[in-house]
Amino acid sequence: MATQIPENLKYTKEHEWALLNDNVITVGITDFAQASLGDIVFVELPEVGRTLDQDEAFGVVESIKSVSDLYSPIAGEVVEVNEALTESPESLNQTPYDSWMVKIKVDNDSEYNALLTNTDYATLCEG
Amino acid sequence: MKRTSLYEKHLAADGRMVDFAGWEMPVQYSSLKDEILAIRNKVGVFDVSHMGEFWVTGPEAFQFIESLIPNSFDVEVGKAVYSPLLNREGKMLDDLIVYKVADQKVLICVNAANVEKDWNWIEKAWKETNPNCEIKNSSDSYSLLAVQGPETEKVMEKVFGKSFTDIPYYGVDTHSNDQGEWVFARTGYTGEDGFEVFGNHEQTVWLWDELMKQGVAPCGLGARDTLRLEVCYPLYGNELNDQLTPLDAGLKWTTKLDKGDFIGKSALVDYKPIKRLIKLSLEKGIPRAGYDVLNMSGEKIGEITSGTMSPILNKGIALALIEVEKFPEDKSFQVEIRGKQYPATYHTKAFVQGGHK
């Protein structure tokens, strides 16, 4: 099955997706990421209130065989965490674009606009 | 990188190929979890052609093996023995299975990463003791499939048109059909019933196709590693290495100090183990190789050697080597994961009881 890359989202080289809404970005991992990882069995997410730099590791996602860091696409403050994921990490495999991980309040949207577009990201995945 | 005779078959089955000991091997096909469940509940097959095969043949073949390995080779023809291979200091060079295939005929199966090291060591021992037998490294001539799972016997009977009930657990037999000569061994690395089938490259491609026709699931090395950890089989390079003796790593049962002389025996007679291999499970967090094991005061007392999430138990499981001097009397342990300490449960039995005969 072809990798799903929704048009309305932005992407990172670390295979995360981001969506900006009222100065808050919602972040998750892409369909490509979940397929590469295989069965996801564990997610570790940050505390609400933590301040992140761009590209700072904020959490971990583990499959049966691997451990992968999660990186913040943009600098900002964690305002909400999807606690439900820690109970059902498999939803990252099933519905990667509905299974958001964190919401980050951002200072400006220039970093967001500089993220990869869906077409850039599709090229990265093919490479 | 080396490729097995089944390389094209792996690609055709969507196998994700990785480097393993210099071989391009399938780590996973469909889903790791599905592959694990196929082996535990039905039947699956692993290509393990990267492993090494040595033949020892001749009047003193059995005696030579007896002097080479610490475990007892005093078994009937048609049986196999698991043993470490030791250097003169009693440290482990590898772990292997020795098959008493027929009178004067022994097959040794060794780990892929150690083929050359083992061969050089065995050849050296052979030259030094000059037994009345020949030795041959046939690793390049063989492919090897491990068919594993409760439905293995049924599938094997269909493919080969013969009964397999007479081959016991850890038994071995030879067989000829239109394809050629086969060696069937009721061994494996999953804890389930199953056969390891040795044949030449063409034969093995035929067997793979026949197994696929029977609906046998192709399984990768990722599933194999999780399966072996669930039943607590050690892996050379993780639990076993050349800094440790079998007495340090839970293999005292393979070290028969009351049998005749064998390489490494003198070093082991008065040996005091420095490590102890233990089994730990975690309700929260997934232990991984290299993570620190702590006592309840937070002092480091050992390291995880293999760890994963068990999809069957839905919890983290691990083997760990603990320093004997620091072994906690209360058998209470913690594992440090990314700076946080997680309580671990000490187990005396394997996490999963395999269904092997």
Side-chain angles (χ1 to χ4, degrees):
Chain A
M1 201 169 61
T3 294
Q4 302 294 310
I5 306 175
E7 279 177 34
N8 61 323
L9 304 176
K10 291 281 199 173
Y11 299 90
T12 74
K13 287 178 185 157
E14 306 292 345
H15 301 283
E16 283 148 329
W17 58 263
L19 177 65
L20 181 68
N21 210 331
D22 291 339
N23 289 328
V24 172
I25 62 158
T26 304
V27 178
I29 60 168
T30 65
D31 187 31
F32 182 91
Q34 70 76 21
S36 312
L37 288 167
D39 300 304
I40 294 169
V41 291
F42 185 81
V43 185
E44 193 171 277
L45 297 172
E47 303 271 315
V48 170
R50 183 170 153 193
T51 307
L52 298 169
D53 292 330
Q54 188 175 28
D55 299 329
E56 184 178 345
F58 69 77
V60 164
V61 58
E62 299 196 40
S63 66
I64 296 172
K65 302 296 294 180
S66 70
V67 183
S68 308
D69 283 322
L70 299 163
Y71 300 95
S72 182
I74 298 186
E77 184 192 334
V78 177
V79 289
E80 206 179 333
V81 170
N82 188 358
E83 298 289 353
L85 282 185
T86 53
E87 293 304 316
S88 57
E90 67 278 3
S91 64
L92 288 165
N93 291 117
Q94 293 153 358
T95 53
Y97 297 109
D98 291 330
S99 305
W100 63 276
M101 292 175 156
V102 290
K103 294 188 180 182
I104 300 169
K105 188 166 184 242
V106 298
D107 303 329
N108 66 73
D109 54 15
S110 61
E111 282 179 350
Y112 179 80
N113 292 327
L115 295 175
L116 302 176
T117 63
N118 64 311
T119 48
D120 293 341
Y121 182 63
T123 309
L124 182 86
C125 292
E126 283 159 19
Chain B
M1 243 188 303
K2 291 195 254 186
R3 289 174 176 177
T4 75
S5 56
L6 295 161
Y7 177 77
E8 297 296 332
K9 301 289 177 188
H10 299 319
L11 294 188
D14 273 339
R16 191 184 302 165
M17 308 303 283
V18 297
D19 175 12
F20 185 89
W23 291 79
E24 217 171 332
M25 299 300 289
V27 66
Q28 183 181 331
Y29 299 84
S30 54
S31 138
L32 191 54
K33 196 170 172 178
D34 291 349
E35 292 171 26
I36 290 164
L37 292 174
I39 300 280
R40 290 270 178 251
N41 301 327
K42 295 177 84 178
V43 55
V45 59
F46 304 98
D47 177 13
V48 284
S49 302
H50 57 321
M51 296 187 80
E53 293 85 8
F54 309 149
W55 280 103
V56 182
T57 52
E60 290 183 345
F62 296 174
Q63 292 97 308
F64 176 60
I65 298 294
E66 200 71 270
S67 70
L68 186 69
I69 61 169
N71 204 349
S72 171
F73 198 51
D74 184 17
V75 295
E76 294 164 37
V77 169
K79 290 285 281 178
V81 169
Y82 168 82
S83 181
L85 181 69
L86 306 181
N87 65 19
R88 303 220 169 270
E89 289 75 52
K91 306 285 174 67
M92 293 179 283
L93 295 169
D94 199 3
D95 66 336
L96 40 77
I97 296 180
V98 190
Y99 299 94
K100 203 176 261 191
V101 176
D103 187 32
Q104 304 194 11
K105 253 183 122 173
V106 178
L107 176 64
I108 307 176
C109 185
V110 307
N111 281 304
N114 297 331
V115 172
E116 208 182 321
K117 177 177 73 173
D118 290 1
W119 175 252
N120 291 340
W121 182 250
I122 291 170
E123 192 178 38
K124 186 164 168 271
W126 178 74
K127 280 181 180 158
E128 282 171 7
T129 54
N130 195 27
N132 185 9
C133 63
E134 296 303 313
I135 58 171
K136 189 177 181 204
N137 181 354
S138 301
S139 302
D140 290 342
S141 312
Y142 278 99
S143 286
L144 175 59
L145 293 183
V147 190
Q148 302 277 296
E151 293 178 10
T152 298
E153 189 172 289
K154 203 170 76 185
V155 163
M156 290 286 284
E157 285 181 4
K158 277 193 183 161
V159 170
F160 288 98
K162 73 176 278 287
S163 167
F164 284 83
T165 49
D166 288 348
I167 306 179
Y169 180 56
Y170 259 72
V172 60
D173 201 5
T174 54
H175 177 69
S176 289
N177 68 357
D178 296 346
Q179 306 299 321
E181 282 274 323
W182 301 90
V183 177
F184 299 130
R186 203 158 202 153
T187 50
Y189 198 41
T190 63
E192 297 304 325
D193 189 22
F195 282 90
E196 293 183 293
V197 185
F198 301 81
N200 73 29
H201 305 310
E202 293 74 30
Q203 281 171 260
T204 304
V205 172
W206 170 85
L207 176 57
W208 178 273
D209 287 339
E210 291 300 311
L211 292 169
M212 292 302 114
K213 283 182 210 163
Q214 296 294 330
V216 175
C219 297
L221 297 183
R224 194 163 180 258
D225 188 53
T226 306
L227 287 155
R228 69 93 192 166
L229 186 50
E230 285 179 336
V231 292
C232 297
Y233 292 172
L235 172 64
Y236 194 86
N238 287 42
E239 286 73 37
L240 316 179
N241 61 56
D242 63 5
Q243 301 303 304
L244 298 175
T245 77
L247 308 181
D248 296 301
L251 293 181
K252 192 176 177 194
W253 67 275
T254 66
T255 309
K256 303 290 196 275
L257 293 174
D258 53 356
K259 78 166 195 178
D261 199 24
F262 60 84
I263 295 172
K265 182 179 180 180
S266 58
L268 294 178
V269 172
D270 293 317
Y271 182 79
K272 296 271 178 297
I274 51 169
K275 304 271 188 183
R276 182 164 159 191
L277 188 70
I278 64 163
K279 309 169 184 77
L280 295 175
S281 73
L282 275 68
E283 292 302 321
K284 277 183 86 176
I286 304 172
R288 305 284 182 185
Y291 287 2
D292 288 349
V293 179
L294 318 174
N295 61 20
M296 296 319 276
S297 328
E299 182 196 3
K300 179 180 173 178
I301 57 170
E303 266 184 27
I304 304 286
T305 49
S306 296
T308 190
M309 160 68 90
S310 162
I312 298 232
L313 303 172
N314 200 28
K315 60 183 172 189
I317 57 170
L319 295 174
L321 283 168
I322 306 298
E323 291 172 48
V324 166
E325 279 181 10
K326 294 182 177 173
F327 198 88
E329 275 181 31
D330 63 357
K331 291 181 177 143
S332 296
F333 300 88
Q334 307 184 87
V335 176
E336 187 161 294
I337 304 175
R338 296 180 288 274
K340 272 194 265 178
Q341 295 167 6
Y342 292 77
T345 307
Y346 173 87
H347 292 252
T348 53
K349 288 195 182 130
F351 307 112
V352 171
Q353 303 303 316
H356 69 67
K357 303 285 174 194

